[in-house]
Amino acid sequence: MTELKPGSRWKSAVCDTEAVLVRPPATGAVPECGGVAMLPSASTRHGGTVAPGFDGGSELGKRYADAATGMEMLCVKAGPGSLGVEGRVLQRLEAKKLPSSD
Amino acid sequence: MQAKSMPSCAAPYAGLKVIEIADDVGGEHLGRLLAEMGAEVTKIEPSDGAASRRIGPFAKGQEGPETSLHFWYYNSNKRSVVLDLATNAMSALATFLRDADILVISAQPRRLAAMELDLETLSDRYRQLIIASVTPFGMEGPYADYKSSSLVGLAAGGPLMSCGYDDHSIPPINPGGDQAYHTVTAFAHIGVLLALLHRQKTGCGQVIDVSMHGANAVNVELANPYWFYPRVRIHRQTCRHAQPSPTQSALFQCADGRYVYYTLILSDTRTFNSFVGWMEEKGMAGPLTDPEYQDVCYRQENFHEIQSLVECFFLCHDSHEMYHGGQQRGLPVGVLNVPEDLFEDEHLAARGFFVKVDMGEDVGEVLYPGQGYRFSAFEGVPRTRAPHLGEHGAASRPRLAEEIDSKEYGE
C-alpha cells in the first residue's frame, strides 16, 4: 500500500486521472477520484465508471484541496473524474496572480 | 581551498600592535578582526571589566566577567590589561601608545572629554599612530553623543525599514547579530588598511572617524538608488529584497517541514528549462514542458501557475534532496538552517570551520568559529580564548602604566 506521504503518486481506479499527493489528509483517508478510492500508481486498474457528481474532471497542473482534512493534490495527468476525499470533491486552488519575478 | 604551498610569510597583520579601548561591538569586532589576522591586540579595561563582559548569555548560566559568551566571541585572540582611564587618559596611555600602530577607540566625544583624551592631540603626539574611532554617530554633529545600539543603528540608518515580512501590519524586525556594528566594523577595517598604506608611503598616521550611522545609511541595498533616481520608496518583503512592488515568494516549504530558498528568474530560459527538466524527472512538470513556456512573455503571463507548480514540487520532496538536487543542476537552491544546524554542516566540517578552544579548567574546550580567511601565502592564526580580566597586566593609580610596561606588557 502506498503511504499517504507528500510526493506519493496515485491513479484513478476509474479514469485516466493521475495525481501527486502534496499535503496528506489529517484523517488518513485515501484519496478518491470519480467517487472511488484511488490506487497507488503502480497498481492495475480493474475497470469501473466515474460516479455522477464526481465527473467534473481533473486538469493537468492544477492543485486541488479539501479544507476539512487539509489534503492537497496536484493533477499530473488529466481525466474526467474529480479528485476527492471522504466522499467530497476537492476544490480547485486558483493560483494568485504575481506581478513579476524578482 | 587547501594551500598549494607552505605559507611563506607570517600572518598578514603580524607585527602590528593595536591598543583597543572599546566596550561595544563596533570597536571590539574591529579589534578581533585585526587580532585574528595576527596583530597583537591589547584591550584596555577598567578594573570592573569592559561593559561587554556583562552581556549574556553566560557559560553554564553563571553570570560573571569571565563567562560572557558575547565577550568571548568578540574578544578572542586579544590581551587584557586593566588600566584606569576615567581621567587623564592621555598620560595613562603614554606607555601603550609609544610603540603602538593602531588605537581602536569607541568612546564618544563627551566621554573622551571626561577622559581628557583628545584624538587630534594624540595624533600629533604619536605621529605614526593610526587612530580608528568607531562610534555610533561619528565625532561631530548633533547626535555625536547620542546613545545607541545595533538596533538603533539599523533603525536610524535606514536598513531596519527593509527588514521584516510581506505583511506590513507587522512592524520591521531586528535582524539580530549586531549587524549595524558589523557594518561599521567592515568600514573601519577598510579604513585602517588604507591608513596603513598611507603610513607606508608617508610615515604618518591619522585619525579615522567612522560612524555607524553613516555606514548603515549607505547599506540599504535598493533603497538609495530607487529614492535618488525615480523617487520611489521600497517595501520590505519576507526573506527577499525590499522592492517598490511585491515580488514572488522565494521560500518554499518541503515535505520534511523545512524550507529552502530559491528564486525563479523567469527571463533566464536555460535556468527555467533546467528546473522544469528536474520536475519532469520527478513526473511533476505538468504543462511546463509545453512549447509555449519557451516564450518569456508567456512565462511572465503565467507566472502564478509556474510558481504554484514549483511550490508543489518542493512540498513533495525533502529539503536536503532539493538543496543538493538543485545544486547538481546548477540551480541556486539553499536550505534554511537554524544556527545549531551548522555544527553538523558537512561543508563546514570538511573545511574545519569550527575549532576547539581551551577555555580553562572551569569550562573546558568550546567550539569557536575558526578563521574567516585562509591565505596560501600567510600563516594562519590559531584561535585563542578571550582574555581574563587583567590577564596581561593590571594597574591602579598611582601604580603607573610604566610599571606594567616593564613587567608585563609586551613580554
PDB file of all heavy atoms in Angstrom, chain A residues 5 12 18-20 33 37 41 45 48 53 57 63-64 67 72 74-76 79 82-86 90 92 100-101:
ATOM      1  N   LYS A   5       1.996   9.968   1.931  1.00  0.00           N
ATOM      2  CA  LYS A   5       3.018  10.953   2.264  1.00  0.00           C
ATOM      3  C   LYS A   5       3.213  11.918   1.097  1.00  0.00           C
ATOM      4  O   LYS A   5       2.867  11.578  -0.051  1.00  0.00           O
ATOM      5  CB  LYS A   5       4.328  10.274   2.626  1.00  0.00           C
ATOM      6  CG  LYS A   5       4.975   9.511   1.516  1.00  0.00           C
ATOM      7  CD  LYS A   5       6.303   8.942   1.985  1.00  0.00           C
ATOM      8  CE  LYS A   5       7.035   8.327   0.815  1.00  0.00           C
ATOM      9  NZ  LYS A   5       8.315   7.740   1.195  1.00  0.00           N
ATOM     10  N   SER A  12      -6.312   7.149 -10.741  1.00  0.00           N
ATOM     11  CA  SER A  12      -7.738   6.883 -10.585  1.00  0.00           C
ATOM     12  C   SER A  12      -8.019   5.417 -10.901  1.00  0.00           C
ATOM     13  O   SER A  12      -7.415   4.840 -11.805  1.00  0.00           O
ATOM     14  CB  SER A  12      -8.522   7.793 -11.530  1.00  0.00           C
ATOM     15  OG  SER A  12      -9.877   7.407 -11.540  1.00  0.00           O
ATOM     16  N   GLU A  18      -4.301  11.024 -12.963  1.00  0.00           N
ATOM     17  CA  GLU A  18      -3.217  10.685 -12.028  1.00  0.00           C
ATOM     18  C   GLU A  18      -2.889  11.944 -11.233  1.00  0.00           C
ATOM     19  O   GLU A  18      -3.014  13.062 -11.746  1.00  0.00           O
ATOM     20  CB  GLU A  18      -1.979  10.182 -12.769  1.00  0.00           C
ATOM     21  CG  GLU A  18      -2.220   8.834 -13.459  1.00  0.00           C
ATOM     22  CD  GLU A  18      -0.978   8.278 -14.134  1.00  0.00           C
ATOM     23  OE1 GLU A  18       0.132   8.714 -13.777  1.00  0.00           O
ATOM     24  OE2 GLU A  18      -1.133   7.424 -15.017  1.00  0.00           O
ATOM     25  N   ALA A  19      -2.460  11.739  -9.996  1.00  0.00           N
ATOM     26  CA  ALA A  19      -2.203  12.903  -9.134  1.00  0.00           C
ATOM     27  C   ALA A  19      -1.102  12.591  -8.133  1.00  0.00           C
ATOM     28  O   ALA A  19      -0.848  11.429  -7.803  1.00  0.00           O
ATOM     29  CB  ALA A  19      -3.484  13.305  -8.395  1.00  0.00           C
ATOM     30  N   VAL A  20      -0.454  13.652  -7.697  1.00  0.00           N
ATOM     31  CA  VAL A  20       0.568  13.545  -6.646  1.00  0.00           C
ATOM     32  C   VAL A  20      -0.031  14.135  -5.372  1.00  0.00           C
ATOM     33  O   VAL A  20      -0.649  15.209  -5.413  1.00  0.00           O
ATOM     34  CB  VAL A  20       1.845  14.309  -7.039  1.00  0.00           C
ATOM     35  CG1 VAL A  20       2.832  14.359  -5.885  1.00  0.00           C
ATOM     36  CG2 VAL A  20       2.495  13.676  -8.254  1.00  0.00           C
ATOM     37  N   CYS A  33     -11.016   9.482  -6.674  1.00  0.00           N
ATOM     38  CA  CYS A  33     -11.207  10.123  -7.978  1.00  0.00           C
ATOM     39  C   CYS A  33     -12.428   9.483  -8.630  1.00  0.00           C
ATOM     40  O   CYS A  33     -12.572   8.252  -8.606  1.00  0.00           O
ATOM     41  CB  CYS A  33      -9.987   9.948  -8.871  1.00  0.00           C
ATOM     42  SG  CYS A  33     -10.195  10.739 -10.486  1.00  0.00           S
ATOM     43  N   ALA A  37     -12.057   5.195  -4.451  1.00  0.00           N
ATOM     44  CA  ALA A  37     -10.709   5.310  -3.884  1.00  0.00           C
ATOM     45  C   ALA A  37      -9.655   5.155  -4.976  1.00  0.00           C
ATOM     46  O   ALA A  37      -9.780   4.299  -5.863  1.00  0.00           O
ATOM     47  CB  ALA A  37     -10.507   4.243  -2.814  1.00  0.00           C
ATOM     48  N   SER A  41       0.155   4.311  -7.794  1.00  0.00           N
ATOM     49  CA  SER A  41       0.406   4.478  -9.233  1.00  0.00           C
ATOM     50  C   SER A  41       0.862   3.193  -9.915  1.00  0.00           C
ATOM     51  O   SER A  41       0.650   3.017 -11.107  1.00  0.00           O
ATOM     52  CB  SER A  41       1.439   5.577  -9.453  1.00  0.00           C
ATOM     53  OG  SER A  41       2.645   5.207  -8.831  1.00  0.00           O
ATOM     54  N   ARG A  45      -5.505  -1.032 -13.044  1.00  0.00           N
ATOM     55  CA  ARG A  45      -6.926  -0.675 -12.943  1.00  0.00           C
ATOM     56  C   ARG A  45      -7.785  -1.896 -13.252  1.00  0.00           C
ATOM     57  O   ARG A  45      -7.451  -2.696 -14.123  1.00  0.00           O
ATOM     58  CB  ARG A  45      -7.275   0.423 -13.948  1.00  0.00           C
ATOM     59  CG  ARG A  45      -6.728   1.779 -13.592  1.00  0.00           C
ATOM     60  CD  ARG A  45      -7.387   2.856 -14.470  1.00  0.00           C
ATOM     61  NE  ARG A  45      -6.815   4.161 -14.166  1.00  0.00           N
ATOM     62  CZ  ARG A  45      -5.803   4.711 -14.858  1.00  0.00           C
ATOM     63  NH1 ARG A  45      -5.290   4.102 -15.895  1.00  0.00           N
ATOM     64  NH2 ARG A  45      -5.325   5.878 -14.492  1.00  0.00           N
ATOM     65  N   GLY A  48     -14.439   0.129 -14.133  1.00  0.00           N
ATOM     66  CA  GLY A  48     -15.402   0.873 -13.323  1.00  0.00           C
ATOM     67  C   GLY A  48     -15.743   2.171 -14.014  1.00  0.00           C
ATOM     68  O   GLY A  48     -15.166   2.507 -15.058  1.00  0.00           O
ATOM     69  N   GLY A  53     -21.776  13.200 -10.172  1.00  0.00           N
ATOM     70  CA  GLY A  53     -21.415  14.168  -9.127  1.00  0.00           C
ATOM     71  C   GLY A  53     -19.910  14.222  -8.883  1.00  0.00           C
ATOM     72  O   GLY A  53     -19.412  15.124  -8.212  1.00  0.00           O
ATOM     73  N   GLY A  57     -14.078  16.400 -13.722  1.00  0.00           N
ATOM     74  CA  GLY A  57     -12.770  16.349 -14.381  1.00  0.00           C
ATOM     75  C   GLY A  57     -11.640  16.904 -13.516  1.00  0.00           C
ATOM     76  O   GLY A  57     -11.871  17.666 -12.560  1.00  0.00           O
ATOM     77  N   ARG A  63      -3.928  22.420  -8.827  1.00  0.00           N
ATOM     78  CA  ARG A  63      -3.910  21.942  -7.433  1.00  0.00           C
ATOM     79  C   ARG A  63      -5.338  21.878  -6.915  1.00  0.00           C
ATOM     80  O   ARG A  63      -6.144  22.773  -7.173  1.00  0.00           O
ATOM     81  CB  ARG A  63      -3.079  22.887  -6.562  1.00  0.00           C
ATOM     82  CG  ARG A  63      -1.606  22.843  -6.904  1.00  0.00           C
ATOM     83  CD  ARG A  63      -0.854  24.011  -6.315  1.00  0.00           C
ATOM     84  NE  ARG A  63      -0.648  23.891  -4.874  1.00  0.00           N
ATOM     85  CZ  ARG A  63       0.174  24.682  -4.199  1.00  0.00           C
ATOM     86  NH1 ARG A  63       0.858  25.628  -4.819  1.00  0.00           N
ATOM     87  NH2 ARG A  63       0.316  24.523  -2.892  1.00  0.00           N
ATOM     88  N   TYR A  64      -5.604  20.854  -6.133  1.00  0.00           N
ATOM     89  CA  TYR A  64      -6.942  20.641  -5.566  1.00  0.00           C
ATOM     90  C   TYR A  64      -6.791  20.387  -4.072  1.00  0.00           C
ATOM     91  O   TYR A  64      -5.844  19.703  -3.650  1.00  0.00           O
ATOM     92  CB  TYR A  64      -7.613  19.445  -6.246  1.00  0.00           C
ATOM     93  CG  TYR A  64      -7.850  19.651  -7.733  1.00  0.00           C
ATOM     94  CD1 TYR A  64      -6.856  19.342  -8.665  1.00  0.00           C
ATOM     95  CD2 TYR A  64      -9.043  20.172  -8.208  1.00  0.00           C
ATOM     96  CE1 TYR A  64      -7.051  19.548 -10.025  1.00  0.00           C
ATOM     97  CE2 TYR A  64      -9.254  20.378  -9.572  1.00  0.00           C
ATOM     98  CZ  TYR A  64      -8.257  20.064 -10.472  1.00  0.00           C
ATOM     99  OH  TYR A  64      -8.457  20.287 -11.813  1.00  0.00           O
ATOM    100  N   ALA A  67     -10.606  21.455   2.526  1.00  0.00           N
ATOM    101  CA  ALA A  67     -10.383  22.256   3.737  1.00  0.00           C
ATOM    102  C   ALA A  67     -10.526  21.411   5.003  1.00  0.00           C
ATOM    103  O   ALA A  67      -9.795  21.603   5.987  1.00  0.00           O
ATOM    104  CB  ALA A  67     -11.364  23.422   3.771  1.00  0.00           C
ATOM    105  N   GLU A  72      -4.217  17.979  -0.066  1.00  0.00           N
ATOM    106  CA  GLU A  72      -3.996  18.745  -1.286  1.00  0.00           C
ATOM    107  C   GLU A  72      -3.340  17.842  -2.305  1.00  0.00           C
ATOM    108  O   GLU A  72      -2.425  17.074  -1.970  1.00  0.00           O
ATOM    109  CB  GLU A  72      -3.112  19.950  -0.967  1.00  0.00           C
ATOM    110  CG  GLU A  72      -3.019  20.935  -2.103  1.00  0.00           C
ATOM    111  CD  GLU A  72      -2.209  22.162  -1.720  1.00  0.00           C
ATOM    112  OE1 GLU A  72      -2.362  22.655  -0.580  1.00  0.00           O
ATOM    113  OE2 GLU A  72      -1.406  22.597  -2.560  1.00  0.00           O
ATOM    114  N   LEU A  74      -1.940  17.459  -6.582  1.00  0.00           N
ATOM    115  CA  LEU A  74      -1.582  18.084  -7.855  1.00  0.00           C
ATOM    116  C   LEU A  74      -1.901  17.090  -8.967  1.00  0.00           C
ATOM    117  O   LEU A  74      -1.411  15.941  -8.929  1.00  0.00           O
ATOM    118  CB  LEU A  74      -0.081  18.425  -7.880  1.00  0.00           C
ATOM    119  CG  LEU A  74       0.464  18.881  -9.232  1.00  0.00           C
ATOM    120  CD1 LEU A  74      -0.074  20.271  -9.586  1.00  0.00           C
ATOM    121  CD2 LEU A  74       1.998  18.898  -9.216  1.00  0.00           C
ATOM    122  N   CYS A  75      -2.686  17.514  -9.914  1.00  0.00           N
ATOM    123  CA  CYS A  75      -3.034  16.626 -11.027  1.00  0.00           C
ATOM    124  C   CYS A  75      -1.860  16.580 -12.015  1.00  0.00           C
ATOM    125  O   CYS A  75      -1.421  17.624 -12.509  1.00  0.00           O
ATOM    126  CB  CYS A  75      -4.292  17.138 -11.721  1.00  0.00           C
ATOM    127  SG  CYS A  75      -4.705  16.173 -13.181  1.00  0.00           S
ATOM    128  N   VAL A  76      -1.342  15.380 -12.277  1.00  0.00           N
ATOM    129  CA  VAL A  76      -0.225  15.253 -13.226  1.00  0.00           C
ATOM    130  C   VAL A  76      -0.666  14.534 -14.503  1.00  0.00           C
ATOM    131  O   VAL A  76       0.108  14.378 -15.431  1.00  0.00           O
ATOM    132  CB  VAL A  76       0.992  14.543 -12.583  1.00  0.00           C
ATOM    133  CG1 VAL A  76       1.583  15.402 -11.485  1.00  0.00           C
ATOM    134  CG2 VAL A  76       0.634  13.160 -12.054  1.00  0.00           C
ATOM    135  N   GLY A  79      -8.016  13.826 -16.477  1.00  0.00           N
ATOM    136  CA  GLY A  79      -9.016  12.781 -16.673  1.00  0.00           C
ATOM    137  C   GLY A  79     -10.395  13.311 -16.348  1.00  0.00           C
ATOM    138  O   GLY A  79     -10.537  14.415 -15.782  1.00  0.00           O
ATOM    139  N   SER A  82     -13.365  13.619 -10.926  1.00  0.00           N
ATOM    140  CA  SER A  82     -12.952  14.679  -9.985  1.00  0.00           C
ATOM    141  C   SER A  82     -12.188  14.058  -8.828  1.00  0.00           C
ATOM    142  O   SER A  82     -12.563  12.990  -8.321  1.00  0.00           O
ATOM    143  CB  SER A  82     -14.180  15.392  -9.415  1.00  0.00           C
ATOM    144  OG  SER A  82     -14.939  15.951 -10.436  1.00  0.00           O
ATOM    145  N   LEU A  83     -11.155  14.744  -8.400  1.00  0.00           N
ATOM    146  CA  LEU A  83     -10.417  14.290  -7.212  1.00  0.00           C
ATOM    147  C   LEU A  83     -11.272  14.549  -5.977  1.00  0.00           C
ATOM    148  O   LEU A  83     -12.018  15.540  -5.928  1.00  0.00           O
ATOM    149  CB  LEU A  83      -9.082  15.027  -7.106  1.00  0.00           C
ATOM    150  CG  LEU A  83      -8.076  14.726  -8.233  1.00  0.00           C
ATOM    151  CD1 LEU A  83      -6.914  15.710  -8.198  1.00  0.00           C
ATOM    152  CD2 LEU A  83      -7.555  13.290  -8.106  1.00  0.00           C
ATOM    153  N   GLY A  84     -11.134  13.690  -4.973  1.00  0.00           N
ATOM    154  CA  GLY A  84     -11.949  13.862  -3.778  1.00  0.00           C
ATOM    155  C   GLY A  84     -11.343  13.156  -2.577  1.00  0.00           C
ATOM    156  O   GLY A  84     -10.279  12.524  -2.665  1.00  0.00           O
ATOM    157  N   VAL A  85     -12.035  13.299  -1.464  1.00  0.00           N
ATOM    158  CA  VAL A  85     -11.649  12.591  -0.235  1.00  0.00           C
ATOM    159  C   VAL A  85     -12.887  12.496   0.664  1.00  0.00           C
ATOM    160  O   VAL A  85     -13.696  13.443   0.706  1.00  0.00           O
ATOM    161  CB  VAL A  85     -10.478  13.301   0.486  1.00  0.00           C
ATOM    162  CG1 VAL A  85     -10.892  14.663   1.053  1.00  0.00           C
ATOM    163  CG2 VAL A  85      -9.900  12.434   1.602  1.00  0.00           C
ATOM    164  N   GLU A  86     -13.065  11.379   1.301  1.00  0.00           N
ATOM    165  CA  GLU A  86     -14.181  11.150   2.226  1.00  0.00           C
ATOM    166  C   GLU A  86     -15.522  11.538   1.595  1.00  0.00           C
ATOM    167  O   GLU A  86     -16.383  12.132   2.250  1.00  0.00           O
ATOM    168  CB  GLU A  86     -13.949  11.906   3.543  1.00  0.00           C
ATOM    169  CG  GLU A  86     -12.720  11.389   4.286  1.00  0.00           C
ATOM    170  CD  GLU A  86     -12.438  12.132   5.579  1.00  0.00           C
ATOM    171  OE1 GLU A  86     -13.045  13.191   5.824  1.00  0.00           O
ATOM    172  OE2 GLU A  86     -11.599  11.635   6.349  1.00  0.00           O
ATOM    173  N   LEU A  90     -12.729  17.595  -4.190  1.00  0.00           N
ATOM    174  CA  LEU A  90     -11.730  18.606  -3.814  1.00  0.00           C
ATOM    175  C   LEU A  90     -11.986  19.895  -4.596  1.00  0.00           C
ATOM    176  O   LEU A  90     -12.428  19.857  -5.746  1.00  0.00           O
ATOM    177  CB  LEU A  90     -10.311  18.114  -4.109  1.00  0.00           C
ATOM    178  CG  LEU A  90      -9.827  16.817  -3.444  1.00  0.00           C
ATOM    179  CD1 LEU A  90      -8.325  16.651  -3.690  1.00  0.00           C
ATOM    180  CD2 LEU A  90     -10.118  16.808  -1.949  1.00  0.00           C
ATOM    181  N   ARG A  92     -10.714  23.202  -6.531  1.00  0.00           N
ATOM    182  CA  ARG A  92      -9.519  23.621  -7.287  1.00  0.00           C
ATOM    183  C   ARG A  92      -8.947  24.902  -6.699  1.00  0.00           C
ATOM    184  O   ARG A  92      -9.680  25.860  -6.430  1.00  0.00           O
ATOM    185  CB  ARG A  92      -9.890  23.847  -8.754  1.00  0.00           C
ATOM    186  CG  ARG A  92      -8.672  24.055  -9.630  1.00  0.00           C
ATOM    187  CD  ARG A  92      -9.078  24.085 -11.076  1.00  0.00           C
ATOM    188  NE  ARG A  92      -8.632  25.320 -11.686  1.00  0.00           N
ATOM    189  CZ  ARG A  92      -8.638  25.552 -12.982  1.00  0.00           C
ATOM    190  NH1 ARG A  92      -9.104  24.647 -13.804  1.00  0.00           N
ATOM    191  NH2 ARG A  92      -8.203  26.691 -13.459  1.00  0.00           N
ATOM    192  N   SER A 100       5.632  40.031 -10.970  1.00  0.00           N
ATOM    193  CA  SER A 100       6.846  39.822 -11.764  1.00  0.00           C
ATOM    194  C   SER A 100       7.770  38.926 -10.984  1.00  0.00           C
ATOM    195  O   SER A 100       7.587  38.712  -9.793  1.00  0.00           O
ATOM    196  CB  SER A 100       7.550  41.155 -12.015  1.00  0.00           C
ATOM    197  OG  SER A 100       7.963  41.706 -10.791  1.00  0.00           O
ATOM    198  N   SER A 101       8.775  38.412 -11.669  1.00  0.00           N
ATOM    199  CA  SER A 101       9.761  37.635 -10.924  1.00  0.00           C
ATOM    200  C   SER A 101      10.804  38.581 -10.365  1.00  0.00           C
ATOM    201  O   SER A 101      11.023  39.662 -10.899  1.00  0.00           O
ATOM    202  CB  SER A 101      10.408  36.577 -11.813  1.00  0.00           C
ATOM    203  OG  SER A 101      11.264  37.166 -12.746  1.00  0.00           O
TER     204      SER A 101
END
